[in-house]
Amino acid sequence: MTVKQLKADLLDRLDAFRKQGKHVSDINPILALADEISDKLYKGQISQEEVNDFLAHMGSELWDQQTTRLHVKTGRDQNDVNILDAIDLGALDVGKPVYHAVFTAHPVFALEKEKSAVLSQAASDNKLGTMPDDAYQPRSNITLQDEHEEAMQALGHARSAIRSLHHTILTAKHVAGDASWRDVLPVMCAVSTWVGYDLDGRSDITWLDSFALRLVEKRMALDLYQAELSSHVQSHPDIAGLLDELAVENDSTKADIKRFSDLNEASFANAVDALSERKNKLISSADFARRLHMIANNIDDDETATALMVIAGDIASHGFGMGEIHLRINAVQLRNAMRAVDGRGISLSGDNVQNRLLMERLATRIKTESAWKINFQNLDEENATARRQLMLATQFIKHVDCDQPIRLLIAECEKPITIMNALYLAHKFGIADRLDISPLFETTFGLEHGVQLIEQLLGYDVFCDYVRRRGRLAMQTGFSDAGRFIGQIAANLAIERLQLKIAQLVKDRLNGDVDLLMFNTHGESFGRGCAGPRIADRQNFILTPHTRARCNDMGVRIHHQSSFQGGDGYRMFGTPALAQSTIYHLFAAETAQPSAAWKDDSFYQKNDFALDMFLALKAWHEKLFSDPSYVTLLDIFGINLLPKTGSRPAKRVVQVGMGRQDPSKMRAIPHNAILQQLGFLANVISGFGSAAQIDADQFVELYETSPRLQQLLGHVLAAKELGSLNTVLAYAKLLDNGFWIDRGYHGYQPRNLRAYRKLGFMLNDDRRTRAARQIVWGLRDDLIDLYRLSKSVGEEDVRISGDERVSLDMIHAVRIALIIDSLALICRVPRFAESTRHSNEDVLRQALSLDFDEAQAIIRQEFSLDKTKKLHSDVAETQNYRDASYSDYQAIAEQILAPLERNNQMIKRITQMISGHYGAHG
């Protein structure tokens, strides 16, 4: 059967099953189609090779969709320069930061690096039909070094685009006749990174790993500045001197990298002393940028002066590194780091003393105590993660770049004492004036009480003085993690309310004298805070035009930062052209004036309705996430359907004091990825329709003129276009003993009769399918309200029909058929010996959890299939024993393991393809 014939057949059958399912509730179109595919495989009407070819064809269609989507998302379908036409470039204050793109190493590196690069290039060129062979093959492994290399490439492209943007702006100011256009360096846009510096919930990155990466980033920056300045060496005699300084420091930094890379106990003192005691280190990036700025001011040629000012601005923004460094820890790590401060081995933020008393004590100590002096030996000996991270920051500032600020991100921050602890340690290490301490609000408690946390801190002079010296109050919100506590839409509403309340504090308590640095962390997917096909859509979802307008009215200046996470996010900077388009559109979105519709949105005027709807939606998701059946659904196959997409563990490293129950222990990305793979983003789609029913008439009335409600419902409906509860039920059915008994009872696959009965017996007491059904019925009941709501506001019928979602439904059905075939193969494995470590039931349990890699490994181990056989070909005596004695084991390898592995590889490819339909992994 050709691919075209197979696809047409599957489309016809899917359409028929969908129509039947509307009238016969027991018919599940996804499972029915999977049954048909399974039967065709059994009867030899289609082969594994033909299924593989079909997946390649479906992958090619998907690849072109992803290419087009990335082309549009980055704005490559529009002219980069024209996007700036709506902005009065000549009136901009180039010396004020507006936006930072933050590159994180969240585990979303789903595609292999080379395949991801092909996709980026295709999107950059708007060229279809470029899918490479095995495009959706998952990575076999990914290391921190791999992540760092990919991040650095994206950062490099982004910085080149920012220099282009700043050049355009300076030129516009000059052309507009601004006499002071040379006075201020352009620092409006910049980049940041925490790749290699994020220890929230992980313990596998040592201080030496981070320090070595920081030295590598300094070398890369020095290479960049040398390359940029070398073309201007004839423009002014002093540029040659600057190049010499860069070259000397570059050589020294390369030597430092070599010494720190080879560091051991014997070489430790020599390596660290060579850096710390080296005279005339080039570590003041601000001074270097200032000197280059002076040269630019003394050059007559305006174009050359502009180019040098752009380079100087790049150095002023990024220093001797590739981006502003973000160190990330969590509140528990910080609390543990404070245990020894009083010399009593107890935590200053423990529950045995009132936190306000501890705050007063710390505030006094910050005023009165002098700073510690530390060296690399102290850093190497320190065991407390948070303290070690601050010591690492200290050594960065002392020995790499003394001017560039460092961000300290504190995850799961819920108490003001946590921030005061961090300020105390920053003071003791002498780096408070270079460190922006930023609480991350992501838990339910943090989102609800974050404003009280900041308000309490602003009651202490030491904190207010610190914020004023830094010129900014830093905060971080976590759309991704908040979504696993209260659902993505409720999280979005909660974060917006928090942003506005903290902005009001900046106005009231700090007179608007400092910037409000808002770092919004989100992923590229629906479930992790990304929305809309274009950059303006995503930026306005995480920081709404209403919030921007309100802050402007209050006189509070926003310095916005947002994240680009791993492979999916990096592709927006995958080529220089993509990066330039992305940066230009980000800048346009961040400087755009909010429309009158957003400023006057009636949703914000009806505060009682808005609050009631938010609380109803939040409560709906809290009830769902606390339901044991929901936890069971998430764990139905564990994370075995998910590929390896990053170097960090899927589960958080649990520290003392973290006692929450699942699913909050699961990271947000696996949580979302599991929902993607099961076929329904409950944390996005669900609850909205029910919450709106608190006053459906009010919702409909407001919706017509409310861009905020239109934005939120649009996000929900876009996720629903991909969502199918039938798909969830189809996967759950694989763990229903009745499903397998029925297959055996009807007898249409007699060779599998023993396998189906065995599976039925194995699952006899399994309750997972029942739990999944219970959740699905609740979600389906909620969809009734969503369908009614959508119809009432004039949206088209959001129920799937016709050719909608057929590609996704088909590959789900194919995967289920391959799983059925694989489980039948596993059941044919001969009995293991009684004395072995494993039983056949162990293998089947692994297979039922879809861990086919481990199942195959056990089989190979039990039958010694990987054992190398010695062949003594020079033995004279004849034999006919070997061929017969090894035939059984060869049969296991050829008739069971070989087709099982082919199925396994196709299942993994389908996983990648499903992520592609959602636009991102997780």
Side-chain angles (χ1 to χ4, degrees):
M1 186 180 293
T2 66
V3 168
K4 188 175 181 179
Q5 290 171 328
L6 179 56
K7 181 180 179 182
D9 180 56
L10 295 183
L11 282 171
D12 287 343
R13 299 306 294 148
L14 177 61
D15 183 59
F17 289 136
R18 281 180 171 182
K19 290 175 180 175
Q20 294 171 27
K22 291 181 179 179
H23 302 287
V24 182
S25 60
D26 285 343
I27 293 179
N28 182 326
I30 307 297
L31 191 59
L33 185 60
D35 270 335
E36 288 240 351
I37 298 167
S38 172
D39 199 44
K40 289 179 184 294
L41 282 168
Y42 176 84
K43 293 175 180 176
Q45 295 174 354
I46 57 174
S47 65
Q48 284 185 318
E49 289 74 18
E50 287 170 328
V51 174
N52 190 61
D53 291 343
F54 169 76
L55 291 177
H57 172 77
M58 300 302 291
S60 180
E61 290 184 350
L62 173 61
W63 188 269
D64 284 349
Q65 292 171 22
Q66 288 186 277
T67 299
T68 301
R69 194 184 304 145
L70 182 59
H71 182 76
V72 172
K73 181 164 70 171
T74 56
R76 280 287 287 160
D77 61 331
Q78 300 173 334
N79 185 287
D80 294 341
V81 176
N82 289 349
I83 196 67
L84 303 179
D85 286 347
I87 306 169
D88 184 357
L89 300 180
L92 294 174
D93 183 352
V94 297
K96 289 288 188 180
V98 171
Y99 177 76
H100 271 215
V102 184
F103 293 80
T104 75
H106 285 79
V108 289
F109 297 86
L111 296 182
E112 291 179 337
K113 178 182 178 181
E114 295 75 17
K115 310 296 172 52
S116 187
V118 172
L119 182 56
S120 293
Q121 191 63 58
S124 185
D125 300 336
N126 196 26
K127 185 176 181 181
L128 304 182
T130 65
M131 187 183 82
D133 293 338
D134 298 323
Y136 294 103
Q137 188 71 22
R139 295 191 188 222
S140 57
N141 190 35
I142 181 168
T143 66
L144 177 64
Q145 188 64 38
D146 295 330
E147 294 169 344
H148 188 262
E149 289 175 1
E150 293 187 43
M152 291 305 106
Q153 181 185 56
L155 283 162
H157 288 163
R159 285 182 61 174
S160 177
I162 289 169
R163 289 194 296 275
S164 171
L165 173 67
H166 286 163
H167 192 285
T168 300
I169 295 170
L170 283 182
T171 300
K173 291 181 79 67
H174 174 225
V175 170
D178 185 346
S180 61
W181 71 274
R182 292 197 190 195
D183 292 351
V184 181
L185 293 178
V187 293
M188 301 191 77
C189 286
V191 295
S192 308
T193 176
W194 77 39
V195 183
Y197 311 105
D198 171 21
L199 294 189
D200 170 30
R202 67 186 297 179
S203 58
D204 57 320
I205 301 177
T206 68
W207 75 264
L208 186 56
D209 293 329
S210 297
F211 198 84
L213 291 176
R214 183 65 185 88
L215 289 175
V216 168
E217 290 171 24
K218 180 170 185 176
R219 174 189 55 78
M220 295 176 71
L222 294 172
D223 286 342
L224 171 63
Y225 301 147
Q226 285 179 268
E228 290 291 316
L229 283 176
S230 60
S231 61
H232 299 288
V233 70
Q234 303 299 325
S235 303
H236 193 282
D238 290 347
I239 291 180
L242 295 182
L243 282 167
D244 288 343
E245 290 182 47
L246 292 173
V248 170
E249 185 64 20
N250 206 341
D251 289 341
S252 298
T253 301
K254 290 174 182 176
D256 288 329
I257 293 170
K258 179 69 169 64
R259 282 188 289 266
F260 275 84
S261 299
D262 298 335
L263 196 68
N264 55 43
E265 188 173 347
S267 65
F268 184 90
N270 177 64
V272 301
D273 288 349
L275 174 61
S276 66
E277 305 308 304
R278 175 156 56 89
K279 305 297 183 185
N280 301 318
K281 290 194 293 279
L282 185 59
I283 60 173
S284 180
S285 57
D287 177 69
F288 194 91
R290 179 188 58 79
R291 288 187 283 145
L292 182 56
H293 188 192
M294 289 176 60
I295 292 172
N297 277 330
N298 290 322
I299 289 178
D300 293 332
D301 182 70
D302 291 328
E303 179 57 34
T304 302
T306 301
L308 291 178
M309 285 184 65
V310 167
I311 299 169
D314 193 11
I315 298 171
S317 292
H318 302 109
F320 297 132
M322 289 301 290
E324 176 193 47
I325 298 298
H326 287 192
L327 302 176
R328 192 164 77 133
I329 56 176
N330 60 50
V332 175
Q333 290 169 327
L334 188 55
R335 187 184 74 190
N336 291 339
M338 292 294 290
R339 291 186 184 277
V341 167
D342 276 344
R344 297 183 298 194
I346 60 172
S347 170
L348 272 180
S349 54
D351 296 329
N352 57 323
V353 185
Q354 288 293 323
N355 277 342
R356 289 187 182 276
L357 178 61
L358 295 172
M359 295 269 284
E360 291 284 358
R361 186 187 307 171
L362 278 177
T364 300
R365 295 179 71 166
I366 291 170
K367 291 179 180 178
T368 59
E369 291 185 6
S370 58
W372 293 316
K373 290 184 178 180
I374 67 161
N375 58 27
F376 281 102
Q377 183 175 348
N378 303 136
L379 174 58
D380 190 52
E381 293 172 349
E382 181 56 60
N383 291 319
T385 300
R387 196 182 290 241
R388 189 170 64 245
Q389 286 292 84
L390 284 162
M391 295 169 79
L392 184 66
T394 304
Q395 297 303 83
F396 285 168
I397 291 169
K398 283 163 57 179
H399 303 301
V400 182
D401 190 319
C402 65
D403 296 317
Q404 280 301 299
I406 294 173
R407 188 80 49 80
L408 180 67
L409 305 171
I410 306 173
E412 300 188 342
C413 190
E414 297 181 344
K415 298 179 180 180
I417 187 67
T418 302
I419 302 300
M420 195 64 86
N421 285 342
L423 182 56
Y424 171 77
L425 289 176
H427 166 74
K428 292 298 290 182
F429 290 119
I431 59 172
D433 289 346
R434 288 287 181 270
L435 192 74
D436 290 309
I437 301 169
S438 176
L440 167 52
F441 301 117
E442 54 187 338
T443 65
T444 303
F445 186 91
L447 292 173
E448 290 177 352
H449 299 91
V451 66
Q452 288 88 355
L453 183 153
I454 299 296
E455 188 172 24
Q456 287 186 46
L457 287 167
L458 292 175
Y460 294 89
D461 290 342
V462 290
F463 185 78
C464 291
D465 292 344
Y466 156 74
V467 169
R468 285 195 169 93
R469 288 198 306 273
R470 290 298 308 135
R472 67 198 64 159
L473 175 68
M475 60 173 284
Q476 181 188 5
T477 61
F479 284 79
S480 183
D481 278 298
R484 67 189 165 97
F485 290 107
I486 58 175
Q488 186 52 233
I489 302 302
N492 187 282
L493 288 164
I495 288 171
E496 181 184 37
R497 296 172 71 87
L498 178 65
Q499 290 167 340
L500 284 169
K501 288 179 179 179
I502 293 178
Q504 189 68 51
L505 277 180
V506 171
K507 176 183 182 296
D508 294 343
R509 303 294 291 273
L510 296 169
N511 301 316
D513 293 338
V514 300
D515 291 352
L516 177 54
L517 195 164
M518 292 186 188
F519 176 23
N520 291 313
T521 39
H522 63 94
E524 303 301 318
S525 64
F526 289 109
R528 300 183 52 240
C530 194
R534 294 193 177 274
I535 285 173
D537 298 318
R538 68 188 275 150
Q539 297 306 107
N540 289 336
F541 190 71
I542 57 176
L543 185 60
T544 64
H546 177 79
T547 299
R548 298 171 192 266
R550 284 279 305 279
C551 288
N552 186 60
D553 291 344
M554 284 187 266
V556 174
R557 180 181 171 80
I558 297 174
H559 178 189
H560 189 207
Q561 303 190 354
S562 64
S563 58
F564 294 86
Q565 302 188 346
D568 294 325
Y570 293 0
R571 273 196 291 278
M572 295 181 72
F573 303 85
T575 69
L578 282 181
Q580 175 157 316
S581 188
T582 298
I583 288 294
Y584 274 55
H585 282 76
L586 283 167
F587 182 75
E590 292 298 324
T591 53
Q593 294 300 309
S595 68
W598 272 103
K599 289 180 179 180
D600 303 326
D601 192 332
S602 52
F603 175 69
Y604 299 101
Q605 312 300 323
K606 301 290 185 179
N607 191 57
D608 289 344
F609 170 78
L611 181 59
D612 287 347
M613 183 177 169
F614 160 69
L615 292 174
L617 182 56
K618 173 176 170 288
W620 197 99
H621 279 279
E622 287 176 333
K623 181 180 179 181
L624 173 68
F625 295 157
S626 64
D627 189 331
S629 293
Y630 182 74
V631 178
T632 300
L633 176 64
L634 289 179
D635 202 38
I636 199 167
F637 303 122
I639 59 172
N640 294 323
L641 269 179
L642 309 184
K644 177 73 173 175
T645 57
S647 65
R648 81 177 188 185
K651 288 187 177 180
R652 291 179 178 272
V653 176
V654 179
Q655 290 95 17
V656 175
M658 293 180 71
R660 293 196 313 272
Q661 297 300 308
D662 290 330
S664 64
K665 283 183 181 177
M666 180 183 291
R667 288 188 180 272
I669 291 172
H671 181 204
N672 281 281
I674 287 170
L675 293 176
Q676 286 179 356
Q677 296 302 320
L678 292 178
F680 194 83
L681 293 177
N683 61 342
V684 181
I685 303 166
S686 301
F688 193 86
S690 299
Q693 296 306 313
I694 59 168
D695 192 339
D697 292 338
Q698 179 82 89
F699 184 97
V700 174
E701 180 185 338
L702 295 176
Y703 182 84
E704 186 176 349
T705 58
S706 170
R708 180 60 163 151
L709 283 180
Q710 293 166 11
Q711 179 193 60
L712 294 174
L713 182 58
H715 192 75
V716 171
L717 296 182
K720 176 60 189 73
E721 286 180 7
L722 298 169
S724 165
L725 288 172
N726 278 328
T727 303
V728 181
L729 286 173
Y731 283 111
K733 199 74 172 175
L734 295 172
L735 299 177
D736 182 356
N737 70 317
F739 170 75
W740 299 104
I741 297 298
D742 281 346
R743 294 178 75 84
Y745 174 79
H746 292 296
Y748 59 85
Q749 292 183 5
R751 292 197 308 276
N752 285 335
L753 175 61
R754 176 177 170 273
Y756 293 156
R757 297 185 72 182
K758 187 173 184 178
L759 285 161
F761 178 80
M762 186 83 172
L763 294 166
N764 189 49
D765 296 321
D766 199 291
R767 297 291 179 264
R768 287 175 289 179
T769 300
R770 181 183 302 174
R773 278 201 295 259
Q774 179 181 332
I775 291 297
V776 167
W777 302 146
L779 297 177
R780 187 163 279 173
D781 181 68
D782 170 70
L783 280 181
I784 296 172
D785 286 328
L786 181 62
Y787 293 154
R788 289 170 55 205
L789 181 70
S790 301
K791 187 176 181 180
S792 67
V793 298
E795 294 290 338
E796 295 182 5
D797 189 353
V798 295
R799 297 174 187 268
I800 296 301
S801 61
D803 60 356
E804 296 173 323
R805 210 187 57 214
V806 291
S807 296
L808 198 52
D809 283 3
M810 282 194 295
I811 62 175
H812 274 298
V814 169
R815 183 164 66 176
I816 291 170
L818 292 173
I819 291 170
I820 292 170
D821 187 55
S822 298
L823 292 171
L825 286 168
I826 293 285
C827 289
R828 297 177 194 163
V829 175
R831 297 295 299 178
F832 297 164
E834 293 293 332
S835 59
T836 60
R837 291 174 52 202
H838 302 285
S839 67
N840 290 71
E841 287 71 26
D842 292 334
V843 176
L844 194 51
R845 286 190 193 93
Q846 293 292 339
L848 284 167
S849 70
L850 305 191
D851 190 353
F852 292 115
D853 287 334
E854 182 63 20
Q856 290 181 81
I858 293 173
I859 295 169
R860 289 187 173 280
Q861 177 185 336
E862 292 302 322
F863 293 105
S864 303
L865 293 175
D866 291 330
K867 187 176 180 181
T868 303
K869 310 297 182 182
K870 287 186 177 182
L871 296 179
H872 301 286
S873 57
D874 55 345
V875 174
E877 187 177 9
T878 61
Q879 60 90 28
N880 63 5
Y881 170 78
R882 186 179 183 278
D883 291 341
S885 67
Y886 282 97
S887 61
D888 287 345
Y889 284 6
Q890 287 173 332
I892 294 170
E894 294 170 4
Q895 297 174 22
I896 297 177
L897 290 179
L900 182 60
E901 178 55 19
R902 287 194 291 270
N903 283 350
N904 190 28
Q905 290 304 315
M906 287 189 282
I907 288 169
K908 291 179 177 180
R909 283 171 55 201
I910 292 172
T911 294
Q912 296 277 72
M913 290 167 66
I914 290 170
S915 295
H917 277 281
Y918 281 90
H921 172 83

